[in-house]
Amino acid sequence: TSKRKRQRFVEESRIIMQRKMASNITLTQILLLANLIVMSIIAVSLSQSANDSIQPTVHMENVSILPRRDETSKKTQTRGQLRYSSTNRTPAGIGSTDAAGFYFVQPNEGELDFYKIGQTTGTDKVQAPMELPGCLKNDKSCTRPNCTRPECRPWGHHYDTIYQQRLGPYSRNDVEPFQFLEVGFFQGGGYDTYRSFLPKAECHSIEIACIEPGPQEEGKWPWGNFAAKNSRYQQYLDENRLHCGDGNDVAFLESVWKNEMKRPDAPPLKIVVDDGAHVAEQMVQTVFFWLPRIEPRGLLIVEDIQPISEASAFTTQFLPQLMKDLHYCGDPKQAKDHLCFPTLFPLLASIHCEMHICILERNDHPAREPSLEESKPPKNALDLKQCESLLPGHW
């Protein structure tokens, strides 16, 4: 059709030129009219080419919008189970939203699938998407039924998206061996997930519940050994991968680091996850002890920073100071600026947070070993008013 339009346009223009020439128009007018005809033909041709090149598909670099689940079947939505469909997939950012309205990140080629592995181990890190549909239908099945934000109501978390993004490259079989540490083994569901998802990692975990039972005032544990419920509990002890002790005690942490992990034949420490007591004081202890010891471009992950009394200071007091330091320049031409955390600032490259979880990325500076005193949180760690730059009238 565009070809016929161009032919008709040229023919009409030719007739007009003949009539103009019959009327003794000037040579200049003829040249101007001819130029107009040529330009019009080119414009029509380019417009048609552009229309022909438009395709009804969406192209996203390094992102697949295929559904994460098997397209050969559709699952009926029940409590604890999502309803997946191969239709109505909507690209969104670096992932896609499935037919049930849930957002997932598709593993890149060669990466393992954190969500699928988490389903097999039963970890709470991926339980929320499975529990939410039933929770929304029946409030009595919700852990926190009165939350304004629906995603907060069911049991479990939505960590699969951030883990797939940031840990996915470490799940490949062609990565160099590395060390991984989890603070907070509990019953081992998360640890089992990490071991399966990170096949090249030498995985370690710390747990206080497996210390000697007895009165707490005697330095013992009176509430039972949660870790022993894991079917591989003894195996992990025998492999020297499960370390029993207090993850908030810098002396114990140093002994695990120097005696069990920093061996001459050990691979570099690249990932540390805090999934311990979910208490802000212990979360910041994990950051101050382990972040300096992680190798360049490694990751420190803090889970369970939900708005509860035990954990909320991490997001309301600690993170604002850390974020402020992340953007610090120290320009003498600007107003006087102060670092909130001078020992962390030289090591931090980025902060990536999703709901109830944050990842701190190491920069390219070499790992270092602060003294035990420097490995403890400073007094302003959970009190941003003690950082001068965050006082009124400052930065």
Side-chain angles (χ1 to χ4, degrees):
T1 56
S2 61
K3 184 176 181 181
R4 288 197 298 271
K5 288 180 180 179
R6 290 198 297 270
Q7 291 174 342
R8 185 170 61 251
F9 184 82
V10 171
E11 181 61 26
E12 290 174 353
S13 300
R14 184 182 62 81
I15 294 172
I16 292 173
M17 287 186 64
Q18 289 176 344
R19 290 176 180 176
K20 289 291 185 179
M21 292 175 66
S23 302
N24 298 322
I25 60 176
T26 66
L27 178 60
T28 301
Q29 289 174 319
I30 293 174
L31 293 174
L32 288 174
L33 186 58
N35 184 62
L36 177 62
I37 293 171
V38 173
M39 295 293 292
S40 300
I41 294 173
I42 294 174
V44 172
S45 179
L46 290 175
S47 175
Q48 182 62 32
S49 298
N51 290 334
D52 291 342
S53 67
I54 296 176
Q55 301 297 326
T57 55
V58 178
H59 298 279
M60 302 170 68
E61 183 178 2
N62 294 328
V63 176
S64 171
I65 60 172
L66 295 176
R68 287 169 55 88
R69 310 299 179 257
D70 185 3
E71 287 192 4
T72 60
S73 64
K74 296 181 180 181
K75 300 183 179 180
T76 303
Q77 178 173 307
T78 59
R79 187 183 186 280
Q81 184 180 45
L82 288 180
R83 181 172 158 222
Y84 302 110
S85 171
S86 62
T87 60
N88 300 323
R89 300 187 306 273
T90 304
I94 63 171
S96 61
T97 302
D98 71 2
F102 289 92
Y103 180 77
F104 293 101
V105 175
Q106 181 78 5
N108 290 319
E109 184 177 357
E111 295 180 357
L112 299 180
D113 190 319
F114 189 87
Y115 185 86
K116 288 183 178 179
I117 292 174
Q119 286 180 306
T120 65
T121 61
T123 177
D124 66 347
K125 302 179 193 302
V126 302
Q127 285 296 312
M130 293 185 288
E131 298 290 333
L132 183 56
C135 170
L136 295 180
K137 287 184 177 180
N138 179 13
D139 283 348
K140 293 182 179 179
S141 69
C142 300
T143 304
R144 295 170 290 274
N146 298 318
C147 288
T148 302
R149 188 174 186 175
E151 294 89 344
C152 295
R153 297 176 190 174
W155 167 255
H157 304 286
H158 305 263
Y159 295 160
D160 57 291
T161 54
I162 194 169
Y163 274 133
Q164 194 66 56
Q165 292 176 56
R166 302 309 301 266
L167 299 192
Y170 289 96
S171 71
R172 300 173 57 89
N173 279 320
D174 57 358
V175 299
E176 293 294 324
F178 63 94
Q179 278 190 329
F180 167 94
L181 172 67
E182 173 194 54
V183 179
F185 181 88
F186 190 51
Q187 296 179 5
Y191 182 76
D192 289 340
T193 305
Y194 295 128
R195 281 187 64 136
S196 298
F197 184 64
L198 305 171
K200 286 303 187 84
E202 178 186 294
C203 293
H204 294 260
S205 188
I206 288 173
E207 174 57 49
I208 192 173
C210 55
I211 65 175
E212 182 182 357
Q216 189 176 23
E217 56 270 18
E218 297 179 9
K220 302 176 183 179
W221 185 254
W223 296 288
N225 186 353
F226 313 129
K229 295 183 179 181
N230 189 287
S231 60
R232 299 183 182 89
Y233 170 68
Q234 191 59 49
Q235 172 191 334
Y236 296 153
L237 289 175
D238 294 341
E239 292 175 347
N240 206 24
R241 296 293 180 261
L242 176 59
H243 312 287
C244 300
D246 186 355
N248 198 46
D249 180 352
V250 293
F252 170 71
L253 295 179
E254 185 180 47
S255 69
V256 171
W257 170 240
K258 289 187 174 181
N259 299 328
E260 313 297 343
M261 297 179 66
K262 195 183 178 184
R263 310 181 314 273
D265 63 334
L269 177 63
K270 299 293 287 188
I271 302 171
V272 173
V273 176
D274 182 284
D275 186 20
H278 313 334
V279 176
E281 289 81 4
Q282 298 187 24
M283 294 171 175
V284 296
Q285 178 59 80
T286 295
V287 174
F288 277 92
F289 185 89
W290 290 109
L291 186 67
R293 293 166 172 82
I294 296 175
E295 291 298 314
R297 294 297 161 179
L299 305 173
L300 189 146
I301 303 167
V302 183
E303 297 184 354
D304 297 288
I305 54 174
Q306 55 262 42
I308 57 176
S309 58
E310 299 88 350
S312 61
F314 187 89
T315 55
T316 62
Q317 302 295 318
F318 176 71
L319 276 182
Q321 298 184 73
L322 196 64
M323 182 65 74
K324 182 261 170 203
D325 282 358
L326 178 64
H327 300 286
Y328 174 86
C329 286
D331 187 349
K333 296 181 180 179
Q334 299 295 329
K336 190 174 183 181
D337 195 4
H338 299 274
L339 288 168
C340 295
F341 303 129
T343 60
L344 300 183
F345 160 73
L347 307 171
L348 187 64
S350 71
I351 302 173
H352 176 188
C353 296
E354 292 187 11
M355 190 175 76
H356 303 162
I357 183 172
C358 280
I359 296 182
L360 313 182
E361 181 185 16
R362 281 277 282 105
N363 59 20
D364 296 315
H365 289 264
R368 54 184 295 263
E369 291 198 37
S371 66
L372 285 187
E373 194 61 33
E374 289 179 317
S375 298
K376 298 177 182 178
K379 62 180 181 180
N380 63 299
L382 295 176
D383 184 5
L384 58 79
K385 293 182 180 179
Q386 295 193 50
C387 180
E388 185 176 352
S389 292
L390 293 177
L391 293 176
H394 292 73
W395 282 96

